[in-house]
Amino acid sequence: MTFLHKKSLGQHFLKDDQVIDMIIQSCQPLGEWVLEIGPGPLTLTKPLLQKVSKGVIVIEKDDRFQKSYELPGLFPIFADASSIRIKDIKKQFNIEHKIKIVSNLPYNIGTFLLLNWLKERDEIESMVLMFQKEVVNRIVATPGTVDYGRLSVLCGYLCECVWLFDVKTDAFSPPPKVESSVVKITPKPEKPCDVLKDLERVTQILFSKRRKMIRTSSLLLPSDIDSSKRPQDLTIEEILSITEKNLDH
Ligand code: SAH
């Protein structure tokens, strides 16, 4: 099938079999169901279908694909993934256990989707996701590095985040402007205390002035934290203790 790529939908389709295979391997072991976002021409989906016992649920916004999705084991939902909750999908398909997500994400909404999924992390077993390389660098960044920020704190607090590999631009058609990377994000099984809303607010305040000493922020600071530190040098634990002092009741 050939048609124009919709730039507005971030359509860069994978064409490199080795990369496709590496993504599939990273999702193993695959169980009964997997959820894929933005399957496009089904390059990742078809090998996934061979490996799951019940099916692949896909959410795709571009309904030009409708006809080509009539395959056994494939359960398409034509919708905007940002408006769909994992909880509702699980209910619709009667899925009782946690689900795996895989996606070569549309770049313009990738981070937004990830932040939504963090809120629904209890429904998710693991996520194997492709983003621009720069976004993956931020997800896995450690304190004291330039990439360390809000995304690193939110993801690192709630999940195990592992960089898997980089993907060159010529693995896609049409090639995107920037390199991509694949990351595996596994929600931590022990439930961290539920301060996500406050943590989102506090990291927003802190990292909006990442070069300023934290004593210049409007936040209350615990006495055991050096107030001359800059946001990017705070560990996740320190940011949590600042959050606990600044809860929005
Ligand atoms: N997974 C395919 C396509 C990746 S391109 C591959 O690797 O080849 C990104 C895909 O996401 C496109 O098919 C695009 O139409 C779809 N998409 C873009 N925005 C979306 C949204 N908001 N919800 C669901 N799908 C979306």
mmCIF file of all heavy atoms in Angstrom, residues 6 8-15 36-45 59-62 65 69 79-82 103-109 113 130 172, ligand 1:
data_model
loop_
_atom_site.group_PDB
_atom_site.id
_atom_site.type_symbol
_atom_site.label_atom_id
_atom_site.label_comp_id
_atom_site.label_asym_id
_atom_site.label_seq_id
_atom_site.Cartn_x
_atom_site.Cartn_y
_atom_site.Cartn_z
ATOM 1 N N LYS A 6 1.667 11.159 6.499
ATOM 2 C CA LYS A 6 1.143 12.361 7.148
ATOM 3 C C LYS A 6 2.162 12.845 8.155
ATOM 4 O O LYS A 6 2.384 12.214 9.196
ATOM 5 C CB LYS A 6 -0.176 12.047 7.855
ATOM 6 C CG LYS A 6 -1.336 11.916 6.910
ATOM 7 C CD LYS A 6 -2.641 11.974 7.687
ATOM 8 C CE LYS A 6 -3.813 11.824 6.749
ATOM 9 N NZ LYS A 6 -5.070 11.613 7.470
ATOM 10 N N SER A 8 1.932 15.364 10.072
ATOM 11 C CA SER A 8 1.299 15.786 11.316
ATOM 12 C C SER A 8 1.120 14.607 12.280
ATOM 13 O O SER A 8 0.987 14.795 13.478
ATOM 14 C CB SER A 8 -0.056 16.403 11.023
ATOM 15 O OG SER A 8 -0.877 15.422 10.405
ATOM 16 N N LEU A 9 1.123 13.391 11.757
ATOM 17 C CA LEU A 9 0.957 12.212 12.615
ATOM 18 C C LEU A 9 2.298 11.556 12.922
ATOM 19 O O LEU A 9 2.352 10.434 13.431
ATOM 20 C CB LEU A 9 0.010 11.203 11.953
ATOM 21 C CG LEU A 9 -1.465 11.624 11.860
ATOM 22 C CD1 LEU A 9 -2.279 10.566 11.142
ATOM 23 C CD2 LEU A 9 -2.051 11.862 13.245
ATOM 24 N N GLY A 10 3.384 12.234 12.613
ATOM 25 C CA GLY A 10 4.714 11.698 12.930
ATOM 26 C C GLY A 10 4.983 10.380 12.224
ATOM 27 O O GLY A 10 5.598 9.479 12.790
ATOM 28 N N GLN A 11 4.512 10.269 10.985
ATOM 29 C CA GLN A 11 4.630 8.973 10.307
ATOM 30 C C GLN A 11 6.023 8.742 9.728
ATOM 31 O O GLN A 11 6.367 9.244 8.653
ATOM 32 C CB GLN A 11 3.541 8.836 9.234
ATOM 33 C CG GLN A 11 2.166 8.713 9.879
ATOM 34 C CD GLN A 11 1.055 8.463 8.879
ATOM 35 O OE1 GLN A 11 1.206 8.724 7.692
ATOM 36 N NE2 GLN A 11 -0.078 7.973 9.366
ATOM 37 N N HIS A 12 6.817 7.998 10.470
ATOM 38 C CA HIS A 12 8.117 7.513 9.996
ATOM 39 C C HIS A 12 8.085 6.013 10.213
ATOM 40 O O HIS A 12 8.160 5.542 11.343
ATOM 41 C CB HIS A 12 9.260 8.156 10.788
ATOM 42 C CG HIS A 12 9.312 9.641 10.621
ATOM 43 N ND1 HIS A 12 9.819 10.246 9.508
ATOM 44 C CD2 HIS A 12 8.881 10.630 11.425
ATOM 45 C CE1 HIS A 12 9.709 11.555 9.622
ATOM 46 N NE2 HIS A 12 9.140 11.823 10.789
ATOM 47 N N PHE A 13 7.939 5.279 9.121
ATOM 48 C CA PHE A 13 7.705 3.849 9.259
ATOM 49 C C PHE A 13 9.014 3.085 9.270
ATOM 50 O O PHE A 13 9.910 3.329 8.461
ATOM 51 C CB PHE A 13 6.802 3.366 8.123
ATOM 52 C CG PHE A 13 5.471 4.076 8.081
ATOM 53 C CD1 PHE A 13 4.954 4.560 6.896
ATOM 54 C CD2 PHE A 13 4.735 4.267 9.251
ATOM 55 C CE1 PHE A 13 3.725 5.213 6.865
ATOM 56 C CE2 PHE A 13 3.505 4.914 9.233
ATOM 57 C CZ PHE A 13 3.003 5.400 8.034
ATOM 58 N N LEU A 14 9.120 2.135 10.173
ATOM 59 C CA LEU A 14 10.325 1.316 10.268
ATOM 60 C C LEU A 14 10.453 0.438 9.033
ATOM 61 O O LEU A 14 9.470 -0.143 8.573
ATOM 62 C CB LEU A 14 10.227 0.410 11.497
ATOM 63 C CG LEU A 14 10.799 0.948 12.791
ATOM 64 C CD1 LEU A 14 10.374 0.055 13.947
ATOM 65 C CD2 LEU A 14 12.307 1.076 12.714
ATOM 66 N N LYS A 15 11.673 0.336 8.523
ATOM 67 C CA LYS A 15 11.857 -0.571 7.379
ATOM 68 C C LYS A 15 13.033 -1.522 7.596
ATOM 69 O O LYS A 15 13.306 -2.359 6.755
ATOM 70 C CB LYS A 15 12.041 0.241 6.092
ATOM 71 C CG LYS A 15 13.239 1.166 6.136
ATOM 72 C CD LYS A 15 13.529 1.777 4.774
ATOM 73 C CE LYS A 15 14.867 2.488 4.816
ATOM 74 N NZ LYS A 15 15.235 3.180 3.615
ATOM 75 N N GLU A 36 -0.235 -2.169 21.094
ATOM 76 C CA GLU A 36 0.698 -1.368 20.309
ATOM 77 C C GLU A 36 0.053 -0.045 19.914
ATOM 78 O O GLU A 36 -1.093 -0.016 19.452
ATOM 79 C CB GLU A 36 1.129 -2.131 19.037
ATOM 80 C CG GLU A 36 2.247 -1.384 18.324
ATOM 81 C CD GLU A 36 2.563 -1.887 16.917
ATOM 82 O OE1 GLU A 36 2.140 -3.000 16.542
ATOM 83 O OE2 GLU A 36 3.246 -1.131 16.206
ATOM 84 N N ILE A 37 0.788 1.023 20.081
ATOM 85 C CA ILE A 37 0.276 2.348 19.719
ATOM 86 C C ILE A 37 0.892 2.772 18.390
ATOM 87 O O ILE A 37 2.111 2.698 18.213
ATOM 88 C CB ILE A 37 0.660 3.402 20.800
ATOM 89 C CG1 ILE A 37 0.364 2.888 22.207
ATOM 90 C CG2 ILE A 37 -0.028 4.742 20.522
ATOM 91 C CD1 ILE A 37 -1.061 2.529 22.472
ATOM 92 N N GLY A 38 0.078 3.252 17.479
ATOM 93 C CA GLY A 38 0.559 3.747 16.188
ATOM 94 C C GLY A 38 1.215 2.671 15.341
ATOM 95 O O GLY A 38 2.381 2.781 14.992
ATOM 96 N N PRO A 39 0.480 1.606 14.985
ATOM 97 C CA PRO A 39 1.098 0.509 14.231
ATOM 98 C C PRO A 39 1.374 0.834 12.764
ATOM 99 O O PRO A 39 2.155 0.129 12.127
ATOM 100 C CB PRO A 39 0.058 -0.613 14.334
ATOM 101 C CG PRO A 39 -1.234 0.097 14.517
ATOM 102 C CD PRO A 39 -0.928 1.319 15.325
ATOM 103 N N GLY A 40 0.739 1.878 12.229
ATOM 104 C CA GLY A 40 0.994 2.251 10.830
ATOM 105 C C GLY A 40 0.823 1.056 9.911
ATOM 106 O O GLY A 40 -0.193 0.354 9.953
ATOM 107 N N PRO A 41 1.831 0.772 9.064
ATOM 108 C CA PRO A 41 1.696 -0.336 8.104
ATOM 109 C C PRO A 41 1.975 -1.720 8.714
ATOM 110 O O PRO A 41 2.237 -2.672 7.976
ATOM 111 C CB PRO A 41 2.735 0.020 7.054
ATOM 112 C CG PRO A 41 3.744 0.853 7.754
ATOM 113 C CD PRO A 41 3.054 1.547 8.886
ATOM 114 N N LEU A 42 1.914 -1.843 10.019
ATOM 115 C CA LEU A 42 2.014 -3.138 10.727
ATOM 116 C C LEU A 42 3.397 -3.797 10.666
ATOM 117 O O LEU A 42 3.504 -5.011 10.797
ATOM 118 C CB LEU A 42 0.943 -4.138 10.223
ATOM 119 C CG LEU A 42 -0.512 -3.693 10.266
ATOM 120 C CD1 LEU A 42 -1.431 -4.822 9.746
ATOM 121 C CD2 LEU A 42 -0.945 -3.328 11.678
ATOM 122 N N THR A 43 4.429 -3.003 10.497
ATOM 123 C CA THR A 43 5.761 -3.609 10.404
ATOM 124 C C THR A 43 6.178 -4.291 11.710
ATOM 125 O O THR A 43 6.796 -5.348 11.689
ATOM 126 C CB THR A 43 6.816 -2.546 10.029
ATOM 127 O OG1 THR A 43 6.408 -1.295 10.547
ATOM 128 C CG2 THR A 43 6.984 -2.436 8.541
ATOM 129 N N LEU A 44 5.834 -3.680 12.827
ATOM 130 C CA LEU A 44 6.138 -4.301 14.124
ATOM 131 C C LEU A 44 5.053 -5.302 14.507
ATOM 132 O O LEU A 44 5.315 -6.310 15.162
ATOM 133 C CB LEU A 44 6.132 -3.224 15.220
ATOM 134 C CG LEU A 44 7.414 -2.508 15.582
ATOM 135 C CD1 LEU A 44 7.106 -1.410 16.596
ATOM 136 C CD2 LEU A 44 8.397 -3.500 16.181
ATOM 137 N N THR A 45 3.841 -4.980 14.085
ATOM 138 C CA THR A 45 2.669 -5.750 14.511
ATOM 139 C C THR A 45 2.678 -7.187 14.001
ATOM 140 O O THR A 45 2.345 -8.112 14.747
ATOM 141 C CB THR A 45 1.384 -5.060 13.999
ATOM 142 O OG1 THR A 45 1.600 -3.652 14.003
ATOM 143 C CG2 THR A 45 0.204 -5.408 14.858
ATOM 144 N N ILE A 59 -3.855 0.779 18.579
ATOM 145 C CA ILE A 59 -4.567 2.060 18.505
ATOM 146 C C ILE A 59 -3.883 2.908 17.436
ATOM 147 O O ILE A 59 -2.683 3.201 17.536
ATOM 148 C CB ILE A 59 -4.530 2.820 19.850
ATOM 149 C CG1 ILE A 59 -5.033 1.929 20.983
ATOM 150 C CG2 ILE A 59 -5.363 4.100 19.751
ATOM 151 C CD1 ILE A 59 -4.941 2.562 22.353
ATOM 152 N N GLU A 60 -4.618 3.236 16.403
ATOM 153 C CA GLU A 60 -4.057 3.993 15.280
ATOM 154 C C GLU A 60 -5.013 5.136 14.934
ATOM 155 O O GLU A 60 -6.216 4.937 14.842
ATOM 156 C CB GLU A 60 -3.836 3.054 14.082
ATOM 157 C CG GLU A 60 -3.460 3.723 12.778
ATOM 158 C CD GLU A 60 -2.176 4.539 12.845
ATOM 159 O OE1 GLU A 60 -1.104 3.989 13.139
ATOM 160 O OE2 GLU A 60 -2.260 5.773 12.589
ATOM 161 N N LYS A 61 -4.445 6.316 14.755
ATOM 162 C CA LYS A 61 -5.293 7.476 14.471
ATOM 163 C C LYS A 61 -5.656 7.588 12.993
ATOM 164 O O LYS A 61 -6.705 8.123 12.642
ATOM 165 C CB LYS A 61 -4.545 8.735 14.922
ATOM 166 C CG LYS A 61 -5.408 9.957 15.011
ATOM 167 C CD LYS A 61 -4.672 11.056 15.714
ATOM 168 C CE LYS A 61 -5.413 12.380 15.629
ATOM 169 N NZ LYS A 61 -4.638 13.453 16.246
ATOM 170 N N ASP A 62 -4.796 7.076 12.149
ATOM 171 C CA ASP A 62 -4.985 7.257 10.706
ATOM 172 C C ASP A 62 -5.884 6.153 10.139
ATOM 173 O O ASP A 62 -5.444 5.020 9.930
ATOM 174 C CB ASP A 62 -3.606 7.227 10.028
ATOM 175 C CG ASP A 62 -3.676 7.619 8.567
ATOM 176 O OD1 ASP A 62 -4.794 7.632 8.009
ATOM 177 O OD2 ASP A 62 -2.623 7.905 7.991
ATOM 178 N N PHE A 65 -5.726 3.183 7.212
ATOM 179 C CA PHE A 65 -5.202 1.820 7.353
ATOM 180 C C PHE A 65 -6.289 0.764 7.571
ATOM 181 O O PHE A 65 -5.998 -0.423 7.627
ATOM 182 C CB PHE A 65 -4.228 1.749 8.535
ATOM 183 C CG PHE A 65 -2.911 2.427 8.289
ATOM 184 C CD1 PHE A 65 -2.558 3.578 8.981
ATOM 185 C CD2 PHE A 65 -1.999 1.899 7.379
ATOM 186 C CE1 PHE A 65 -1.339 4.194 8.767
ATOM 187 C CE2 PHE A 65 -0.781 2.510 7.159
ATOM 188 C CZ PHE A 65 -0.448 3.666 7.853
ATOM 189 N N TYR A 69 -6.066 -3.780 8.225
ATOM 190 C CA TYR A 69 -5.989 -4.312 9.586
ATOM 191 C C TYR A 69 -6.943 -5.486 9.823
ATOM 192 O O TYR A 69 -7.141 -5.909 10.961
ATOM 193 C CB TYR A 69 -6.295 -3.212 10.616
ATOM 194 C CG TYR A 69 -5.192 -2.193 10.826
ATOM 195 C CD1 TYR A 69 -4.060 -2.166 10.020
ATOM 196 C CD2 TYR A 69 -5.275 -1.254 11.849
ATOM 197 C CE1 TYR A 69 -3.062 -1.224 10.205
ATOM 198 C CE2 TYR A 69 -4.279 -0.315 12.056
ATOM 199 C CZ TYR A 69 -3.177 -0.297 11.228
ATOM 200 O OH TYR A 69 -2.200 0.627 11.432
ATOM 201 N N ALA A 79 -8.468 5.540 16.820
ATOM 202 C CA ALA A 79 -8.706 6.654 17.737
ATOM 203 C C ALA A 79 -7.385 7.345 18.039
ATOM 204 O O ALA A 79 -6.318 6.857 17.669
ATOM 205 C CB ALA A 79 -9.319 6.126 19.032
ATOM 206 N N ASP A 80 -7.494 8.450 18.745
ATOM 207 C CA ASP A 80 -6.309 9.158 19.215
ATOM 208 C C ASP A 80 -5.870 8.506 20.531
ATOM 209 O O ASP A 80 -6.632 8.498 21.493
ATOM 210 C CB ASP A 80 -6.688 10.624 19.444
ATOM 211 C CG ASP A 80 -5.504 11.461 19.877
ATOM 212 O OD1 ASP A 80 -4.520 10.898 20.392
ATOM 213 O OD2 ASP A 80 -5.584 12.692 19.711
ATOM 214 N N ALA A 81 -4.656 7.961 20.540
ATOM 215 C CA ALA A 81 -4.202 7.227 21.727
ATOM 216 C C ALA A 81 -4.203 8.102 22.980
ATOM 217 O O ALA A 81 -4.342 7.592 24.091
ATOM 218 C CB ALA A 81 -2.800 6.669 21.485
ATOM 219 N N SER A 82 -4.078 9.397 22.818
ATOM 220 C CA SER A 82 -4.015 10.239 24.010
ATOM 221 C C SER A 82 -5.375 10.365 24.695
ATOM 222 O O SER A 82 -5.460 10.857 25.810
ATOM 223 C CB SER A 82 -3.443 11.620 23.669
ATOM 224 O OG SER A 82 -4.184 12.203 22.646
ATOM 225 N N SER A 103 5.708 0.377 21.245
ATOM 226 C CA SER A 103 5.379 1.410 20.266
ATOM 227 C C SER A 103 6.593 2.112 19.706
ATOM 228 O O SER A 103 7.557 2.384 20.419
ATOM 229 C CB SER A 103 4.471 2.459 20.920
ATOM 230 O OG SER A 103 4.060 3.393 19.961
ATOM 231 N N ASN A 104 6.512 2.359 18.395
ATOM 232 C CA ASN A 104 7.377 3.340 17.772
ATOM 233 C C ASN A 104 6.512 4.591 17.803
ATOM 234 O O ASN A 104 5.661 4.785 16.964
ATOM 235 C CB ASN A 104 7.694 2.873 16.350
ATOM 236 C CG ASN A 104 8.300 3.959 15.495
ATOM 237 O OD1 ASN A 104 8.698 5.009 15.988
ATOM 238 N ND2 ASN A 104 8.365 3.699 14.203
ATOM 239 N N LEU A 105 6.697 5.396 18.842
ATOM 240 C CA LEU A 105 5.723 6.434 19.155
ATOM 241 C C LEU A 105 5.731 7.601 18.184
ATOM 242 O O LEU A 105 6.790 8.013 17.723
ATOM 243 C CB LEU A 105 5.993 6.984 20.562
ATOM 244 C CG LEU A 105 5.542 6.109 21.721
ATOM 245 C CD1 LEU A 105 6.064 6.676 23.027
ATOM 246 C CD2 LEU A 105 4.038 6.008 21.768
ATOM 247 N N PRO A 106 4.528 8.104 17.878
ATOM 248 C CA PRO A 106 4.479 9.370 17.147
ATOM 249 C C PRO A 106 5.193 10.436 17.990
ATOM 250 O O PRO A 106 4.816 10.652 19.145
ATOM 251 C CB PRO A 106 2.980 9.655 17.028
ATOM 252 C CG PRO A 106 2.265 8.660 17.878
ATOM 253 C CD PRO A 106 3.200 7.576 18.233
ATOM 254 N N TYR A 107 6.238 11.043 17.422
ATOM 255 C CA TYR A 107 7.128 11.873 18.240
ATOM 256 C C TYR A 107 6.463 13.068 18.896
ATOM 257 O O TYR A 107 6.845 13.470 19.984
ATOM 258 C CB TYR A 107 8.315 12.344 17.401
ATOM 259 C CG TYR A 107 9.293 11.229 17.131
ATOM 260 C CD1 TYR A 107 10.257 11.351 16.149
ATOM 261 C CD2 TYR A 107 9.235 10.054 17.871
ATOM 262 C CE1 TYR A 107 11.155 10.320 15.906
ATOM 263 C CE2 TYR A 107 10.115 9.027 17.630
ATOM 264 C CZ TYR A 107 11.076 9.162 16.648
ATOM 265 O OH TYR A 107 11.949 8.151 16.411
ATOM 266 N N ASN A 108 5.432 13.605 18.220
ATOM 267 C CA ASN A 108 4.853 14.813 18.809
ATOM 268 C C ASN A 108 4.058 14.554 20.081
ATOM 269 O O ASN A 108 3.840 15.461 20.870
ATOM 270 C CB ASN A 108 3.995 15.558 17.768
ATOM 271 C CG ASN A 108 3.052 14.620 17.042
ATOM 272 O OD1 ASN A 108 3.147 13.397 17.175
ATOM 273 N ND2 ASN A 108 2.119 15.161 16.305
ATOM 274 N N ILE A 109 3.637 13.305 20.299
ATOM 275 C CA ILE A 109 2.859 13.068 21.525
ATOM 276 C C ILE A 109 3.487 12.006 22.435
ATOM 277 O O ILE A 109 2.896 11.618 23.434
ATOM 278 C CB ILE A 109 1.391 12.670 21.230
ATOM 279 C CG1 ILE A 109 1.329 11.428 20.352
ATOM 280 C CG2 ILE A 109 0.611 13.802 20.622
ATOM 281 C CD1 ILE A 109 -0.019 10.735 20.429
ATOM 282 N N LEU A 113 2.084 10.854 26.097
ATOM 283 C CA LEU A 113 1.525 9.512 26.327
ATOM 284 C C LEU A 113 2.237 8.836 27.494
ATOM 285 O O LEU A 113 1.601 8.243 28.367
ATOM 286 C CB LEU A 113 1.673 8.654 25.066
ATOM 287 C CG LEU A 113 0.740 8.988 23.902
ATOM 288 C CD1 LEU A 113 1.068 8.129 22.689
ATOM 289 C CD2 LEU A 113 -0.718 8.773 24.308
ATOM 290 N N MET A 130 9.961 3.502 21.499
ATOM 291 C CA MET A 130 10.933 4.253 20.715
ATOM 292 C C MET A 130 10.580 5.733 20.763
ATOM 293 O O MET A 130 9.419 6.112 20.571
ATOM 294 C CB MET A 130 10.886 3.758 19.275
ATOM 295 C CG MET A 130 11.736 4.575 18.355
ATOM 296 S SD MET A 130 12.904 3.575 17.488
ATOM 297 C CE MET A 130 11.872 2.664 16.412
ATOM 298 N N PHE A 172 14.198 4.195 8.875
ATOM 299 C CA PHE A 172 12.803 4.603 8.685
ATOM 300 C C PHE A 172 12.553 5.136 7.286
ATOM 301 O O PHE A 172 13.451 5.646 6.634
ATOM 302 C CB PHE A 172 12.447 5.753 9.645
ATOM 303 C CG PHE A 172 12.654 5.452 11.091
ATOM 304 C CD1 PHE A 172 13.884 5.675 11.695
ATOM 305 C CD2 PHE A 172 11.610 4.965 11.862
ATOM 306 C CE1 PHE A 172 14.076 5.415 13.041
ATOM 307 C CE2 PHE A 172 11.797 4.704 13.206
ATOM 308 C CZ PHE A 172 13.027 4.928 13.789
HETATM 309 N N1 SAH B 1 4.784 1.522 14.249
HETATM 310 C C1 SAH B 1 4.926 1.896 12.857
HETATM 311 C C2 SAH B 1 4.551 3.371 12.603
HETATM 312 C C3 SAH B 1 5.258 4.394 13.417
HETATM 313 S S1 SAH B 1 4.924 6.023 12.873
HETATM 314 C C4 SAH B 1 6.329 1.597 12.395
HETATM 315 O O1 SAH B 1 7.204 1.456 13.246
HETATM 316 O O2 SAH B 1 6.551 1.515 11.198
HETATM 317 C C5 SAH B 1 3.769 6.558 14.081
HETATM 318 C C6 SAH B 1 2.372 5.994 13.898
HETATM 319 O O3 SAH B 1 1.520 6.543 14.914
HETATM 320 C C7 SAH B 1 1.695 6.372 12.580
HETATM 321 O O4 SAH B 1 1.093 5.231 12.034
HETATM 322 C C8 SAH B 1 0.641 7.420 12.960
HETATM 323 O O5 SAH B 1 -0.469 7.448 12.105
HETATM 324 C C9 SAH B 1 0.280 6.980 14.362
HETATM 325 N N2 SAH B 1 -0.230 8.049 15.223
HETATM 326 C C10 SAH B 1 0.127 9.346 15.249
HETATM 327 N N3 SAH B 1 -0.510 10.031 16.202
HETATM 328 C C11 SAH B 1 -1.327 9.121 16.822
HETATM 329 C C12 SAH B 1 -2.245 9.206 17.903
HETATM 330 N N4 SAH B 1 -2.470 10.354 18.530
HETATM 331 N N5 SAH B 1 -2.880 8.082 18.286
HETATM 332 C C13 SAH B 1 -2.665 6.896 17.649
HETATM 333 N N6 SAH B 1 -1.807 6.762 16.628
HETATM 334 C C14 SAH B 1 -1.140 7.851 16.210
#
